[in-house]
Amino acid sequence: TSMPTGVTMAVGALSHREAIVKEAAIRAFERWANAESLRVLENVSLEIKWLSDYLECVKSDIREQLCLS
């Protein structure tokens, strides 16, 4: 389970200018893999192709884990 501080930090990291920081944030949500993580990630839009592809894979994996797909 994530702590509120971790979620806040990860949400902030999604807005960072460096792709590697955004990737780390997505990884955190991927590890937590809960409904809150999916809700946050569903509202993220990324312009970097590889990072956007990774985001889509993570969202799909979380949906599957939560039996939503």
Side-chain angles (χ1 to χ4, degrees):
T1 304
S2 62
M3 299 295 291
T5 304
V7 172
T8 301
M9 290 173 64
V11 168
L14 289 170
S15 299
H16 197 276
R17 68 174 179 247
E18 295 293 330
I20 196 163
V21 176
K22 292 178 184 181
E23 179 187 16
I26 295 169
R27 244 184 291 123
F29 287 112
E30 180 179 29
R31 182 169 182 200
W32 295 323
N34 57 30
E36 181 181 12
S37 296
L38 183 59
R39 194 166 39 254
V40 169
L41 294 177
E42 290 286 4
N43 290 297
V44 173
S45 177
L46 300 169
E47 295 181 13
I48 302 167
K49 174 86 169 102
W50 68 267
L51 196 53
S52 181
D53 291 346
Y54 174 50
L55 173 64
E56 292 305 315
C57 287
V58 169
K59 291 190 300 187
S60 177
D61 289 347
I62 294 172
R63 280 189 212 102
E64 187 175 314
Q65 289 178 36
L66 296 175
C67 300
L68 298 175
S69 59

